[in-house]
Structures are given as structure tokens and as C-alpha cells.
């Protein structure tokens, strides 16, 4: 969150929180600053630009690969599949199969996963009032991965085709609650304690997952799952896309209706309660929702890190801190980012494919270190006489 989103309060002045959900109010619940109007006006422009960029990115994702398909031909194949009367086939059946059955589901999963992780990270940072919060760093992705791996290794199919997602959801929810409870001491959570708790739980859960894979009798499946734990979008089919798509739609819809509550939380728990928010109930319900979305996305694409960390901070620079603007903008930004990360994963070392989670970590690691330094610098400045 940028420093421009807050204004100083005069010494001795009564600390009365403003309504962060009101137009022009900052994400910290302070009075509106003179840049708030400009950021509100930038919001529709940012949405329009990101929507166009996302469309172009998805086109590039379906065009680029070992077999290059011209963008115009990509559009011809897609429109012919949707509306057969709109275009005449001038391409080979092999290219149509590559675009429709191989690349299109992969690109769509990348867009859905990137958008979902960005939205979850945005809400998580507000819930725990910590700029470093995101599913991967807090160990939530590791918990979801352990649940999914346990289903695969033990062959559990209690819930049929959604067993994998159900186990991933349970693992994500349990891990999030444990990390939050461990990090919360004395009624507050510090950045260091939260990150350390997440890293500790992630290490333990990853160790348990490795033991399950190494001792599994299903050697071929264990190797496939081990590759999946690095994050990747390959192997997706049309029949499996509906679940992550539904999870994303549910998450965005519910969080947008709760955007004002997320804004209130950033003003502090006491201030939020004063303004009528049942903090404990809202936080518990939102934890369940975020765990559900994270679990489904991890089950579909593996644990992909740092998207939920980078996107919220990036879009706040342009649209401000109001979650009514941040949530949809971060979703589009996350979708664009992960589609291009997947394109890079397929092309940088072709014909070998790099796990997309490796590339997001290469981008997110330096970003995380920069945030840590910025947070430490701001803490030092506040403590200076």
C-alpha cells in the first residue's frame, strides 16, 4: 500500500476513523487525500486497458508454441468453434486441435488461476492487516497441496470428481487458521511473526507431503505429483475447467459485496467494530471463502506463489486502496501476469517446459524482499524521534 494512501494526523487530535468505504477515503480509513479523485477516475481506464491487454495476452497464449499459429487464424478457429457460420475453415485440423484442445484450456486456466490468486491475496492482506500476506507465503498453498496429495496417494474418492478440490480446501482452511492463531499474540499480528509462522507451517507440511510421495507405492503418480507441486498449467482439459471458474466467480462476487467491510478492517479492528462490523464473524466467513478458492485453484494448477503478493500492491499504485476498485483490477492484472508467465514457461527453454511456479517465484522473490525493506524502513521512520 503506497504512502500516498494516508495523511498525517495532527498531534493531540481525536482519532476518529473515516469511512474507508466512502468515495475518496483511503484504504487505511483516513481522510481522503488530493490524489483520491485522480485514482477514482483512473479506475475505469485501468479496467479497460487491462481487459484489452488480457484479450491480447490470451490470443498470444494460443498462438505461441512449438507450432506457431497466426493470431488471425487463432481468432478464426475460436469464432468458428463458437459460431460456425461466422468464418470458413482455412486451417488444418491439426492446428484446430492444438488451439482448441491444448492451448485454449491452458490459457483459460492461467487467467482464472492468476485472477483468483490475486483476489485472495488482496483480501488476505486486508483480513490480517499485513502487506506481506498471500496464500503461498502463509503456507496456505502448502496445506492445500498436502490435502490434494493425500487424496492422490491414498486413492480417496469420497466426493467423486471433486475429492481433490475438497481435500485441498480442507488443508488450506486448517493451515490458514493455524497460521493466524500462531501469529496472533497480544491481540496484534506483526509482519515478521506472520511470515515466520507461514514459513514454519509450510516447511512442516511440505516435509509430510514429501514423505507421502517417497513412500507411495504408485511410483508413476508420485513423480507426476512431484512435478505438479512446482506449479503448472499443462494437462488441463475442458471438463475440469468449470470448478476453478466457479470458485473464481464465487470469490469475486462475494468479496465485492464485502469490499466496504474489508476497507473498514484496514482502519483497525476497534474502529471497524465501532462502525458496526462484526469482525470475528466476518473474518471467519472470509477465511472459509479464501480457503475454498485457494484449495480449488491449487488442486487445478498446483501451488503457484507470489501472484497474490505482487498484484494488490501494484494495482493500488494506480487505483488507490478502496477494495471496490482494487479487487477487480487485481483480478485482471493477475490473469494477465500468469498468462504471460505460462507463455514464458513454454518458450524460454523450448522444447523443455519450465514449471510456471518457478518463474513466478523468480519474479516474486525480489518483490517480497523489496516489501520487507520498505516495511522495515517505514517502521524505523515511525519510531524515529
Amino acid at each position: 500500500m503506497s504512502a500516498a494512501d494516508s495523511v498525517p494526523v495532527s498531534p493531540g487530535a481525536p482519532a476518529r476513523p473515516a469511512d474507508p468505504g466512502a468515495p475518496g477515503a483511503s484504504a487505511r480509513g483516513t481522510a481522503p487525500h488530493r490524489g483520491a479523485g485522480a485514482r477514482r477516475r483512473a479506475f475505469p481506464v485501468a479496467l479497460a486497458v487491462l481487459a484489452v491487454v488480457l484479450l491480447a495476452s490470451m490470443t498470444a497464449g494460443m498462438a505461441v508454441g512449438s507450432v506457431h499459429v497466426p493470431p488471425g487464424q487463432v481468432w478464426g478457429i475460436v469464432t468458428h468453434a463458437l459460431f460456425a457460420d461466422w468464418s470458413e475453415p482455412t486451417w488444418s485440423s491439426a492446428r484446430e486441435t492444438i488451439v482448441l484442445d491444448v492451448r485454449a484450456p491452458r490459457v483459460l486456466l492461467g487467467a482464472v488461476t492468476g485472477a483468483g490468486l490475486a483476489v485472495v491475496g488482496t483480501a488476505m492482506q486486508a483480513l490480517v492487516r499485513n502487506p506481506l500476506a498471500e496464500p503461498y507465503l502463509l503456507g496456505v498453498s502448502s496445506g492445500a497441496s498436502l490435502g490434494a496429495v493425500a487424496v492422490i496417494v491414498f486413492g480417496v474418492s469420497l466426493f467423486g470428481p471433486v475429492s481433490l478440490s475438497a481435500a485441498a480446501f480442507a488443508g488450506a482452511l486448517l493451515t490458514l487458521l493455524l497460521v493466524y492463531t500462531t501469529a496472533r499474540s497480544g491481540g496484534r499480528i506483526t509482519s515478521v511473526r506472520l511470515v515466520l509462522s507461514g514459513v514454519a507451517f509450510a516447511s512442516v507440511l511440505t516435509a509430510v507431503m514429501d514423505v507421502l510421495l517417497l513412500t507411495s507405492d504408485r511410483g508413476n503418480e508420485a513423480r507426476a505429483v512431484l512435478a505438479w507441486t512446482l506449479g503448472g498449467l499443462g494437462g488441463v482439459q475442458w471438463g475440469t475447467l468449470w470448478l476453478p471458474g466457479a470458485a473464481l466467480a464465487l470469490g469475486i462476487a462475494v468479496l465485492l459485496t464485502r469490499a466496504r467491510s474489508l476497507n473498514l478492517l484496514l482502519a483497525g479492528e476497534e474502529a471497524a467494530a465501532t462502525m458496526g462490523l462484526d469482525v470475528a464473524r466476518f473474518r471467519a466467513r472470509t477465511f472459509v471463502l479464501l480457503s475454498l478458492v485457494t484449495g480449488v485453484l491449487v488442486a487445478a494448477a498446483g501451488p503457484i506463489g507470489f501472484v497474490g503478493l505482487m498484484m494488490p500492491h501494484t494495482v493500488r499504485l494506480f487505483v488507490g486502496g478502496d477494495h471496490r476498485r482494487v479487487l477487480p483490477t487485481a483480478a485482471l492484472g493477475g490473469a494477465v501476469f500468469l498468462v504471460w508467465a505460462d507463455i514464458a514457461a513454454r518458450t524460454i527453454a523450448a522444447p523443455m517446459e519450465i514449471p510456471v511456479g518457478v518463474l513466478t517465484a523468480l519474479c516474486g522473490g525480489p518483490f517480497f524482499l523489496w516489501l520487507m525493506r520498505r516495511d522495515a524502513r517505514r517502521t524505523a521512520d515511525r519510531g524515529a524521534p
Side-chain angles (χ1 to χ4, degrees):
M1 190 176 302
S2 64
D5 280 336
S6 61
V7 293
V9 179
S10 301
R16 186 183 64 86
D19 181 0
S26 73
R28 294 185 184 272
T30 54
H33 56 83
R34 57 186 175 184
R39 289 181 174 178
R40 284 199 303 272
R41 291 191 294 272
F43 171 59
V45 176
L47 281 185
V49 170
L50 283 173
V52 172
V53 172
L54 177 59
L55 193 60
S57 303
M58 295 177 72
T59 303
M62 289 184 281
V64 174
S66 56
V67 176
H68 177 72
V69 181
Q73 204 168 87
V74 167
W75 276 101
I77 293 172
V78 172
T79 54
H80 180 73
L82 296 175
F83 313 100
D85 297 336
W86 282 23
S87 59
E88 288 294 329
T90 58
W91 50 83
S92 65
S93 58
R95 288 196 171 189
E96 182 171 342
T97 300
I98 289 173
V99 170
L100 293 181
D101 297 334
V102 178
R103 294 179 185 170
R106 180 174 185 142
V107 168
L108 284 174
L109 178 61
V112 168
T113 302
L117 292 175
V119 166
V120 169
T122 301
M124 203 170 279
Q125 289 167 15
L127 279 180
V128 299
R129 299 188 63 218
N130 194 299
L132 302 179
E134 76 107 23
Y136 191 80
L137 287 176
L138 297 191
V140 180
S141 293
S142 297
S145 299
L146 178 59
V149 167
V151 166
I152 296 172
V153 170
F154 296 115
V156 179
S157 57
L158 184 62
F159 298 102
V162 299
S163 297
L164 196 70
S165 297
F169 159 63
L173 178 59
L174 181 59
T175 304
L176 181 57
L177 293 176
L178 287 173
V179 170
Y180 178 78
T181 303
T182 303
R184 186 180 179 88
S185 176
R188 61 190 298 269
I189 300 176
T190 65
S191 299
V192 174
R193 190 184 297 126
L194 185 69
V195 172
L196 288 179
S197 299
V199 170
F201 277 102
S203 300
V204 173
L205 295 172
T206 301
V208 174
M209 184 169 57
D210 290 341
V211 170
L212 289 179
L213 292 174
L214 291 173
T215 57
S216 172
D217 294 332
R218 306 180 179 187
N220 293 332
E221 288 187 8
R223 282 189 291 272
V225 171
L226 194 58
W228 168 82
T229 57
L230 297 175
L233 306 175
V236 63
Q237 299 176 351
W238 285 109
T240 59
L241 270 177
W242 69 271
L243 191 55
L248 172 64
L250 174 66
I252 290 181
V254 173
L255 289 174
L256 281 176
T257 63
R258 300 291 184 265
R260 184 176 180 274
S261 299
L262 291 173
N263 291 340
L264 290 175
L265 267 183
L266 289 178
E269 294 185 14
E270 293 183 1
T274 301
M275 300 188 72
L277 179 65
D278 188 336
V279 176
R281 178 178 296 182
F282 173 72
R283 184 171 276 149
R285 290 177 176 178
T286 310
F287 275 165
V288 173
L289 175 66
L290 299 184
S291 300
L292 173 63
V293 177
T294 302
V296 171
L297 295 179
V298 168
I304 297 175
F306 297 103
V307 179
L309 178 70
M310 294 185 289
M311 288 304 111
H313 289 285
T314 302
V315 302
R316 286 189 189 108
L317 297 175
F318 301 98
V319 300
D322 191 335
H323 284 86
R324 291 173 295 186
R325 301 192 296 267
V326 175
L327 286 168
T329 313
L332 287 174
V336 170
F337 174 76
L338 201 56
V339 167
W340 278 106
D342 183 54
I343 293 173
R346 289 188 277 129
T347 56
I348 287 178
M352 184 182 72
E353 181 178 320
I354 301 174
V356 69
V358 173
L359 294 183
T360 61
L362 288 174
C363 296
F367 191 88
F368 171 70
L369 294 175
W370 172 76
L371 277 179
M372 287 283 288
R373 286 180 59 85
R374 188 193 69 172
D375 189 51
R377 190 163 53 248
R378 287 182 175 178
T379 300
D381 291 342
R382 285 196 296 268

